[in-house]
Amino acid sequence: MDHKFEWQQQRTTTPDGVYRTLRAAILDGAVPPGGQLREAHIAGDLGISRSPLREALTKLEEEGLVVRIPYRGAFVVEVSAREIAEIDSVRLRVEPYAAELSAAALRGPERPRLLQTVEDLRRAIEENDLPASVDAHLRFHRLFYDFSGHRVLQSLWNGWETKLRLYLNVDHRTYSEDPHLLVREHERLAAVALEGDTDAFLQELAAHFPVGLGARTRDQGDAHAPRA
C-alpha cells in the first residue's frame, strides 16, 4: 500500500514545501528505498497540481534521494551494503581526525550535547524506536565533523549522511547485531573522544564498523536502481 502523504506543518503548495514533505517521508523511512513515488497518488494526497510536484522531484533527484526512470517513474534510491562499507572505510581514516579537531569544543561547551546524543540513542533503542535511534546515531557522529571547523570534513559528512540514513532505516543492524551493544560502543567512543585519545578513538571506531566493512566483499550489487 502506498504511503499517505501529509503536510509536515502548514499546507504550502510551493515546490519547496512539496520538496520538504517528500524529503521527510523518504528520510524517516515512510517511503523505503526502491519505493515508487507515484505522482497521481502524491498530488491527490496533498491536493496539489503536478507542476510543483515535478519541481520537487527534480530537486530530490539532484540531491541523490530519487532516481527517475523513463516510462516507469520516480523511485527512492537504494543504497547497497557495499556502498556503505566504502563510505565507512573512508570514515575510518578521517573521523578520528575530525574527533581530534573537535575535541576542544566537545570537552568544553558542547560536552552535554555529545552525551545527550548517547542518551537519546539509549532511550530510542529501549523504546524500539528505529527512526529515533537512527537519528541519534547519525547526530552523534555528525558532531565530530560539525565542530571540527574543517569545511572539507563537514562536506564529506554532508555527502554521506543521506545515504547512511537511507541504509540504516532499512538495516540498523549493519553496525551491531545487538542494539544495546551499539549504545555501549557509542559510550566508549564518547569517552575516548573526550579524553582526546585519537588512537583509542580509531580502535573503537574500527570495532564499531566490522559488519558494515565486511559487506564490501559480500555485496556486488548496484546501489542505485530500484528493485524489479
Side-chain angles (χ1 to χ4, degrees):
M1 181 180 295
D2 286 332
H3 168 73
K4 180 174 176 56
F5 289 87
E6 298 177 345
W7 296 105
Q8 292 299 295
Q9 298 175 350
Q10 62 183 23
R11 184 177 184 274
T12 171
T13 59
T14 64
D16 188 59
V18 178
Y19 158 80
R20 290 197 304 270
T21 297
L22 298 185
R23 189 176 190 276
I26 292 170
L27 292 182
D28 70 13
V31 184
Q36 186 170 9
L37 295 165
R38 304 178 193 278
E39 289 188 16
H41 171 76
I42 298 169
D45 280 354
L46 298 180
I48 58 175
S49 68
R50 298 289 184 94
S51 179
L53 173 56
R54 287 171 178 163
E55 287 188 48
L57 289 171
T58 295
K59 189 172 181 178
L60 290 167
E61 186 177 27
E62 291 170 351
E63 190 177 346
L65 285 173
V66 166
V67 58
R68 287 199 272 196
I69 301 176
Y71 309 112
R72 290 189 60 190
F75 298 82
V76 177
V77 297
E78 291 185 278
V79 182
S80 70
R82 175 178 180 143
E83 189 169 4
I84 294 304
E86 290 177 349
I87 289 172
D88 286 349
S89 70
V90 179
R91 287 178 60 196
L92 191 59
R93 287 155 177 79
V94 302
E95 198 158 311
Y97 181 46
E100 180 182 353
L101 293 177
S102 64
L106 293 176
R107 284 202 299 264
E110 302 302 334
R111 179 188 176 96
R113 190 168 172 182
L114 179 68
L115 298 178
Q116 184 61 51
T117 60
V118 179
E119 182 57 33
D120 290 345
L121 178 61
R122 180 195 306 281
R123 185 182 309 110
I125 285 175
E126 289 175 350
E127 296 174 357
N128 198 30
D129 186 338
L130 176 61
S133 66
V134 170
D135 183 63
H137 186 168
L138 294 176
R139 278 191 289 113
F140 176 90
H141 290 281
R142 183 182 185 96
L143 288 176
F144 300 116
Y145 298 83
D146 281 351
F147 293 110
S148 70
H150 196 299
R151 292 182 181 179
V152 172
L153 289 175
Q154 291 163 353
S155 179
L156 285 172
W157 179 261
N158 289 338
W160 295 332
E161 185 172 357
T162 294
K163 291 181 179 180
L164 289 166
R165 188 178 298 275
L166 286 172
Y167 192 79
L168 292 177
N169 277 332
V170 174
D171 187 9
H172 203 190
R173 292 176 301 171
T174 294
Y175 286 91
S176 178
E177 294 291 338
D178 178 0
H180 298 286
L181 176 59
L182 189 66
V183 176
R184 293 194 293 274
E185 289 174 350
H186 283 81
E187 287 175 336
R188 292 195 295 269
L189 281 167
V192 295
L194 292 173
E195 291 168 3
D197 191 335
T198 304
D199 291 338
F201 188 92
L202 173 59
Q203 292 173 6
E204 292 293 343
L205 196 65
H208 180 48
F209 283 167
V211 176
L213 289 171
R216 181 169 40 183
T217 59
R218 296 195 307 269
D219 183 356
Q220 302 297 321
D222 185 353
H224 300 289
R227 296 186 182 94

